[in-house]
């Protein structure tokens, strides 16, 4: 069961906590917009629940809540940005805005970011490109090391996600946002917060044995790589994770995830990002490209389903469905997360916007 509340209340609560931590209002508002976008689209692993993890990190890791991102070097089609040791939501927004601007002017824009932090759901940023009629690609390194390379007995990677978005029919872009693990670590964290077991196949204990205990996974265990074992294709998730780290860390000069001691001694967490936007009009009429993307997606949706009650979808469809429902009915929040957020808000003196008076009756979480 979960309580629901309006997305603006949701955003205001997140912003209030970030401002109480010392983040300037403009940056706090944009950071909270990214988190709210994730929750609105059903991506709870990267929504307001991340505040619980950010609160833990700020107590033992350097995070600059008054960061001021800046450009280190730039060409007409590229830029390297420095996130100044802060969380990445505001920095990543500025980076993709710059990539889109360069793509609109020159056909392609690439922006690499160093010295940043976690920035929420990648789909938020690639959607910015798709909304501008461009193809968007994004990837990011991560801070948490929870995944071994195929055949390895020690964790060397994180969830290492990437995203691809392309404009198609109006309001229906193709938006793929995926971790290179079976699930994002945030989904495991959310199960832990709500006291729920994991589905089988999500994680392993420290000895590599399958477990459904989220605490075991989050405290010394491993996340399952995309594909699972070597026999079932785990090397594919492993290869994608390496690709992501080459784009996000090696291009930007960020700390390698295989260097957990941070020998480069960055100012903050030194997470690296990669953003790319390019114009399909470089190759053909943009309208014809969008029409073909729309037809391809519609052809896939028209595939006869195995279960008539579960039609075939394409990337972006489930999130749009969630958004429509949550715009109408509110964003659900489990009681465990609500209690933790209240504790965090009280602890830092942030205003509380999610009072029972502003919440609807308990309903099943969508």
């Amino acid at each position: 069961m979960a309580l629901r509340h309006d997305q603006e209340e949701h955003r205001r609560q997140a912003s209030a906590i970030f401002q109480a931590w010392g983040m300037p209002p403009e940056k706090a508002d944009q950071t909270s917009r990214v988190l709210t976008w994730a929750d609105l689209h059903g991506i709870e692993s990267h929504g307001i629940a991340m505040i619980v993890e950010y609160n833990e990190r700020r107590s033992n890791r350097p995070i600059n809540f008054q960061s001021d991102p800046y450009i280190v070097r730039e060409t007409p089609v590229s830029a390297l940005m420095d996130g100044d040791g802060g969380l990445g939501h505001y920095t990543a927004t500025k980076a993709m805005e710059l990539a889109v601007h360069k793509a609109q002017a020159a056909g392609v824009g690439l922006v690499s970011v160093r010295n940043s932090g976690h920035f929420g759901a990648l789909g938020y940023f690639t959607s910015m490109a798709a909304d501008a009629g461009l193809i968007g690609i994004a990837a990011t390194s991560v801070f948490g090391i929870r995944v071994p390379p195929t055949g390895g007995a020690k964790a060397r990677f994180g969830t290492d996600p990437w995203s691809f978005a392309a404009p198609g029919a109006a309001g229906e872009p193709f938006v793929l946002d995926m971790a290179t693990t079976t699930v994002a670590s945030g989904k495991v964290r959310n199960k832990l917060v709500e006291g729920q077991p994991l589905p089988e196949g999500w994680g392993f204990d420290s000895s590599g044995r399958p477990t459904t205990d989220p605490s075991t996974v989050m405290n010394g265990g491993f996340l399952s790589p995309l594909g699972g074992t070597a026999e079932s294709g785990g090397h594919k998730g492993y290869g994608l994770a390496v690709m992501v780290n080459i784009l996000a860390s090696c291009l930007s000069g960020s700390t390698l995830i295989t260097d957990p001691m941070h020998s480069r001694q960055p100012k903050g967490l030194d997470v690296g990002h990669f953003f790319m936007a390019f114009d399909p009009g470089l190759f053909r009429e943009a309208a014809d490209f969008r029409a073909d993307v729309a037809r391809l997606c519609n052809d896939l949706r028209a595939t006869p389903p195995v279960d008539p009650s579960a039609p075939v979808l394409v990337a972006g469809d489930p999130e749009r469905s969630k958004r429509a429902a949550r715009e109408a009915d509110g964003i659900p929040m489990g009681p465990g997360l609500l209690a933790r957020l209240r504790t965090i808000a009280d602890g830092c003196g942030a205003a509380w916007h999610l009072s029972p008076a502003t919440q609807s009756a308990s309903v099943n979480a969508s």
Side-chain angles (χ1 to χ4, degrees):
M1 303 295 284
L3 295 175
R4 292 177 182 265
H5 51 267
D6 178 80
Q7 61 178 295
E8 179 58 20
E9 294 168 340
H10 194 89
R11 187 202 63 75
R12 287 172 61 204
Q13 185 60 67
S15 182
I17 292 173
F18 287 127
Q19 290 184 57
W21 288 349
M23 190 179 286
E26 177 190 2
K27 295 181 175 66
D29 286 346
Q30 179 55 28
T31 300
S32 63
R33 285 189 196 98
V34 177
L35 298 185
T36 301
W37 183 94
D39 282 325
L40 193 62
H41 288 80
I43 313 170
E44 289 97 344
S45 59
H46 289 69
I48 200 170
M50 284 303 307
I51 287 178
V52 175
E53 186 165 337
Y54 298 154
N55 187 55
E56 294 173 355
R57 291 186 184 182
R58 75 187 186 99
S59 67
N60 54 32
R61 297 288 180 179
I63 298 178
N64 181 9
F65 287 102
Q66 295 184 327
S67 61
D68 189 13
Y70 58 93
I71 294 175
V72 178
R73 59 192 300 177
E74 186 174 16
T75 76
V77 297
S78 67
L80 171 64
M81 292 184 67
D82 191 295
D84 196 28
L87 289 176
H89 312 73
Y90 179 83
T91 299
T93 301
K94 292 300 181 184
M96 183 53 96
E97 286 177 349
L98 183 57
V100 167
H101 176 74
K102 289 180 179 294
Q104 290 171 331
V108 62
L110 305 99
V111 179
S112 184
V113 181
R114 70 185 188 194
N115 200 21
S116 187
H118 189 272
F119 64 23
L122 279 136
Y124 178 92
F125 306 104
T126 53
S127 292
M128 292 170 60
D131 290 345
L134 307 169
I135 294 173
I137 298 174
T140 182
S141 65
V142 299
F143 183 76
I145 302 174
R146 303 186 188 280
V147 187
T150 300
K154 180 180 179 180
R156 304 289 275 177
F157 293 103
T159 53
D160 300 314
W162 73 284
S163 178
F164 173 94
E172 295 184 351
F174 178 91
V175 183
L176 176 65
D177 182 351
M178 55 172 277
T180 54
T181 48
T182 301
V183 295
S185 61
K187 291 187 176 182
V188 179
R189 182 197 61 245
N190 289 354
K191 293 290 187 183
L192 177 62
V193 168
E194 299 302 331
Q196 299 171 347
L198 302 178
E200 293 185 4
W202 280 23
F204 306 93
D205 65 18
S206 59
S207 298
R209 293 187 296 266
T211 180
T212 60
D213 182 357
S215 178
T216 298
V217 174
M218 298 300 285
N219 294 286
F222 302 138
L223 288 173
S224 169
L226 186 65
T229 64
E231 292 75 17
S232 61
H235 64 284
K236 297 177 182 179
Y238 171 28
L240 287 172
V242 177
M243 176 197 76
V244 165
N245 280 276
I246 290 172
L247 289 173
S249 297
C250 296
L251 275 183
S252 66
S254 297
T255 299
L256 301 179
I257 199 168
T258 50
D259 179 19
M261 299 306 294
H262 285 58
S263 60
R264 298 180 185 179
Q265 297 184 343
K267 183 182 298 184
L269 300 179
D270 202 21
V271 171
H273 315 313
F274 173 79
F275 302 95
M276 180 177 184
F278 66 98
D279 186 357
L282 290 171
F283 306 95
R284 58 187 302 213
E285 289 298 320
D288 294 338
F289 166 79
R290 292 194 298 270
D292 275 354
V293 172
R295 178 178 176 179
L296 174 63
C297 291
N298 286 332
D299 288 347
L300 294 172
R301 294 185 184 105
T303 304
V306 173
D307 180 353
S309 67
V312 175
L313 304 175
V314 298
D317 286 347
E319 292 80 8
R320 283 187 285 270
S321 177
K322 287 282 189 181
R323 176 168 187 156
R326 293 180 178 193
E327 285 180 332
D329 301 328
I331 298 175
M333 182 181 295
L337 174 58
L338 189 66
R340 289 202 180 193
L341 289 177
R342 184 59 188 263
T343 298
I344 291 171
D346 289 346
C348 65
W352 183 248
H353 298 286
L354 303 180
S355 64
T358 63
Q359 294 168 344
S360 64
S362 294
V363 294
N364 291 323
S366 62

